[in-house]
């Protein structure tokens, strides 16, 4: 059966299995495969609590986004609701902020992809790898949204397979009381001499921003709705399954890692998956996990290209008076915002150039950190827009409602605020957090001044 075509030319080619895997692909990334060792070492067993709390908060945020998307599944991005319910200026700020955030994170992912490829081909030039990888992923995005969904399905399948295998192997080692060079695999490695905050409560608090950014990307579900077949049937099922995925793929994996490898014996510079598989006797563990993290980074980059194209298309629609943006308000014959994707990809290619210059590399790292911090602000605005939706005539009491709204909505907003405040506690996050505030205040300030000038020009008054 042919995919339904929307009024603007985009096509509903994404199926339930595509959206499910996009949700997983957006949530499970290199933060788990590479960064978990560092988080576990800093926090100890309480890292499980950090993942559980953040998993619940992100699930509730997705229920808020899902409620608005269920009401209006034709929206190309969840950012559209910020504009609708918080005003055009705030919406414009959120749109540009989120798109720029995507571009900078995509730059970082492209840099990571080249490093993973050089694990096997150290003589290959970085720029050659990055150009080829980006060209392939852009082509996937340009051909059809269904091809993008299929690529994400298989990228995510590789990641899920690696986690499931690790959990199964780990549990087998535990139940067999498997002897390793550092002891025995046992849940006693977690409970013996248990300390909830072995490195102090401050380290526990500092773990929240680290793990928060590991969940970043879950909101991509809210970008696929307008191109999903039967979204009002698919969306609730996919969002409701998020909490189970978090429990199995994050908490399950970390629980098994700490059962095999005493948490205070992990090497924070090495992937915990590599360390576990090496203890199990897999000599090629480093190569296998490098392949997995390569696909994880490629999956993230693929999703960022998809998201960037849709958001830039939406920005073009929201800029009717801009001659520059006029050409980006068109959908290609294949049903995708091709010009928005190509323009975004061209900007992503600037990242490797900046990263290769020693004078600018630190600035690039800083900007990437700022863009990640800005996601928190966009999430906050999204939840505030959800509150306005609840108060509006659009509210559908029979829709896909956020559970316990009166309690959960302020909980999520308060938690995101607390996460941003916590960035000022840890030294390495202070400058990017300040940068995020400067960007926010400066952008909205400029928009306000421009708005006042336009209003004054339209309604001139006599000056005595």
């Amino acid at each position: 059966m042919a995919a339904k075509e929307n009024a603007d030319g985009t096509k509903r080619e994404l199926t339930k299995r595509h959206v499910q895997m996009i949700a997983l692909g957006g949530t499970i990334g290199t933060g788990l495969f590479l960064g978990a060792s560092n988080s576990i070492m800093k926090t100890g067993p309480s890292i499980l609590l950090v993942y559980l709390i953040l998993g619940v908060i992100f699930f509730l945020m997705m229920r808020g986004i899902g409620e608005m998307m269920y009401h209006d599944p034709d929206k190309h991005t969840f950012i559209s609701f910020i504009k609708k319910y918080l005003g055009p200026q705030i919406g414009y700020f959120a749109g540009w902020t989120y798109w720029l955030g995507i571009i900078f994170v995509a730059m970082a992912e492209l840099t990571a992809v080249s490093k993973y490829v050089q694990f096997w081909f150290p003589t290959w030039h970085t720029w050659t790898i990055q150009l080829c990888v980006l060209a392939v992923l852009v082509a996937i995005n340009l051909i059809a949204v269904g091809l993008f969904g299929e690529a994400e399905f298989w990228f995510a399948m590789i990641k899920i397979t690696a986690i499931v295998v690790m959990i199964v192997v780990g549990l087998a080692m535990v139940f067999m009381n498997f002897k390793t060079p550092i002891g025995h695999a046992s849940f006693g490695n977690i409970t013996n001499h248990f300390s909830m905050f072995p490195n102090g409560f401050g380290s526990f608090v500092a773990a929240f921003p680290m793990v928060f950014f590991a969940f970043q990307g879950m909101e991509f579900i809210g970008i696929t709705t307008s191109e999903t077949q039967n979204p009002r049937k698919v969306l609730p099922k996919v969002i409701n399954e998020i909490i189970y995925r978090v429990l199995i793929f994050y908490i399950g994996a970390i629980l098994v890692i700490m059962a095999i490898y005493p948490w205070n014996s992990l090497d924070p510079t090495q992937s915990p998956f590599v360390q576990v598989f090496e203890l199990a006797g897999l000599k090629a563990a480093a190569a296998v996990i490098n392949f997995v993290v390569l696909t994880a980074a490629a999956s993230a980059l693929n999703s960022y290209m998809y998201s960037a194209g849709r958001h830039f298309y939406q920005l073009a629609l929201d800029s009717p008076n801009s001659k520059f943006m006029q050409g980006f308000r068109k959908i290609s014959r294949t049903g995708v915002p091709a010009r928005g994707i190509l323009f975004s990809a061209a900007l992503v290619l600037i990242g490797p150039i900046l990263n290769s210059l020693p004078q600018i590399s630190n600035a690039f790292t800083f900007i990437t950190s700022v863009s990640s911090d800005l996601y928190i602000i966009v999430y906050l605005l999204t939840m505030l827009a959800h509150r306005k939706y609840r108060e509006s005539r659009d509210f559908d009491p029979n829709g896909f409602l956020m559970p316990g709204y009166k309690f959960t909505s302020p909980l999520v907003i308060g938690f995101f605020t607390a996460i941003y405040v916590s960035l000022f506690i840890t030294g390495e996050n202070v400058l990017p957090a300040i940068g995020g505030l400067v960007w926010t205040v400066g952008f909205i300030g400029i928009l306000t001044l421009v708005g006042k000038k336009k209003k004054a020009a339209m309604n001139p008054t006599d000056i005595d």
Side-chain angles (χ1 to χ4, degrees):
M1 186 175 68
K4 177 186 174 183
E5 185 170 308
N6 295 318
D8 61 2
T10 54
K11 298 178 181 178
R12 295 187 179 274
E13 293 183 350
L14 296 177
T15 64
K16 180 185 176 183
R17 70 184 180 92
H18 290 147
V19 178
Q20 283 177 323
M21 288 302 181
I22 289 168
L24 278 172
T27 309
I28 301 171
T30 53
L32 175 63
F33 289 107
L34 291 179
S37 290
N38 190 36
S39 300
I40 293 170
M41 280 292 292
K42 287 184 176 180
T43 318
S46 63
I47 192 67
L48 294 169
L49 186 59
V50 175
Y51 272 97
L52 179 61
I53 292 172
L54 280 166
V56 171
I57 292 296
F58 267 82
F59 166 70
L60 292 173
M61 179 189 77
M62 288 310 305
R63 284 297 299 261
I65 292 176
E67 183 176 341
M68 293 186 290
M69 282 291 183
Y70 186 90
H71 166 71
D72 189 356
D74 293 329
K75 287 284 190 289
H76 284 281
T77 82
F78 63 93
I79 302 292
S80 301
F81 296 108
I82 297 177
K83 176 189 175 184
K84 183 174 182 180
Y85 296 112
L86 298 184
Q89 288 187 335
I90 302 296
Y92 201 62
F93 159 76
W96 278 106
T97 298
Y98 193 78
W99 178 76
L100 285 171
I102 291 169
I103 295 300
F104 280 112
V105 177
M107 289 178 183
E109 293 289 354
L110 185 59
T111 302
V113 166
S114 63
K115 290 179 180 177
Y116 301 144
V117 171
Q118 285 176 330
F119 177 88
W120 292 293
F121 306 101
T123 59
W124 286 14
H125 293 295
T126 300
W127 68 267
T128 306
I129 298 169
Q130 292 171 342
L131 192 61
C132 291
V133 169
L134 191 62
V136 170
L137 296 182
V138 167
I140 288 172
N141 273 275
L142 290 177
I143 293 171
V145 68
L147 183 60
F148 158 77
E150 202 63 30
E152 275 304 287
F153 177 86
W154 292 108
F155 278 143
M157 187 63 74
I158 291 169
K159 291 187 282 188
I160 292 165
T161 301
I163 296 172
V164 170
V165 169
M166 197 277 294
I167 291 175
V168 171
V169 169
L171 289 175
M173 292 171 70
V174 168
F175 292 128
M176 291 166 56
N177 198 28
F178 189 86
K179 191 177 187 310
T180 71
I182 57 174
H184 287 84
S186 167
F187 287 117
N189 288 326
I190 303 172
T191 58
N192 291 342
H193 309 293
F194 179 81
S195 176
M196 180 61 81
F197 309 117
N199 294 318
F201 187 72
S203 294
F204 173 72
V205 172
F208 278 91
M210 289 191 298
V211 176
F212 179 93
F213 296 120
F215 281 96
Q216 190 173 298
M218 189 182 289
E219 75 282 355
F220 281 171
I221 308 172
I223 303 168
T224 62
T225 311
S226 67
E227 295 171 277
T228 301
Q229 297 173 15
N230 200 355
R232 283 187 172 145
K233 181 179 179 182
V234 171
L235 197 66
K237 289 183 179 179
V238 172
I239 290 177
N240 281 334
E241 290 168 0
I242 287 174
I243 194 67
Y244 304 114
R245 298 191 197 107
V246 170
L247 288 171
I248 295 171
F249 294 112
Y250 268 119
I251 296 176
I254 290 173
L255 189 68
V256 169
I257 288 168
M258 290 194 295
I260 297 168
Y261 228 112
W263 68 267
N264 53 0
S265 301
L266 282 167
D267 180 356
T269 64
Q270 192 179 19
S271 165
F273 283 71
V274 171
Q275 295 175 70
V276 167
F277 281 130
E278 284 179 343
L279 283 182
L282 181 61
K283 294 181 180 179
V288 170
I289 297 305
N290 189 74
F291 172 71
V292 173
V293 294
L294 171 59
T295 57
S299 168
L301 185 56
N302 192 36
S303 291
Y304 286 130
M305 286 296 93
Y306 171 88
S307 182
R310 271 67 184 174
H311 276 93
F312 201 74
Y313 170 67
Q314 188 62 51
L315 284 170
L317 294 179
D318 292 341
S319 308
N321 299 322
S322 172
K323 291 183 179 180
F324 172 75
M325 301 293 278
Q326 185 175 357
F328 296 101
R329 295 196 287 270
K330 296 180 180 178
I331 295 295
S332 69
R333 287 181 295 175
T334 56
V336 300
R339 294 183 182 185
I341 294 170
L342 289 170
F343 181 73
S344 299
L347 290 184
V348 169
L349 281 175
I350 297 173
I353 298 172
L354 295 177
N355 218 16
S356 65
L357 301 174
Q359 301 90 341
I360 303 179
S361 60
N362 289 336
F364 174 71
T365 303
F366 171 77
I367 292 170
T368 305
S369 298
V370 171
S371 69
S372 294
D373 293 347
L374 287 169
Y375 272 71
I376 304 176
I377 296 173
V378 173
Y379 292 161
L380 265 171
L381 293 174
T382 304
M383 294 311 298
L384 291 172
H386 175 250
R387 292 187 69 82
K388 288 292 185 181
Y389 159 75
R390 278 283 185 134
E391 297 168 1
S392 72
R393 293 180 179 179
D394 294 336
F395 172 57
D396 180 7
N398 299 314
F400 179 51
L401 303 182
M402 181 181 185
Y405 165 76
K406 290 184 179 179
F407 170 74
T408 55
S409 175
L411 173 68
V412 174
I413 292 171
F415 194 87
F416 285 157
T417 303
I419 287 286
Y420 204 96
V421 171
S422 73
L423 296 173
F424 294 93
I425 297 174
T426 54
E428 59 187 14
N429 293 321
V430 172
L431 285 178
I434 293 172
L437 290 179
V438 170
W439 165 265
T440 303
V441 174
F443 195 108
I444 294 177
I446 291 171
L447 282 181
T448 303
L449 288 174
V450 170
K452 285 182 177 179
K453 287 183 179 180
K454 285 184 178 179
K455 190 174 181 180
M458 293 173 63
N459 301 292
T461 57
D462 294 327
I463 301 175
D464 293 332

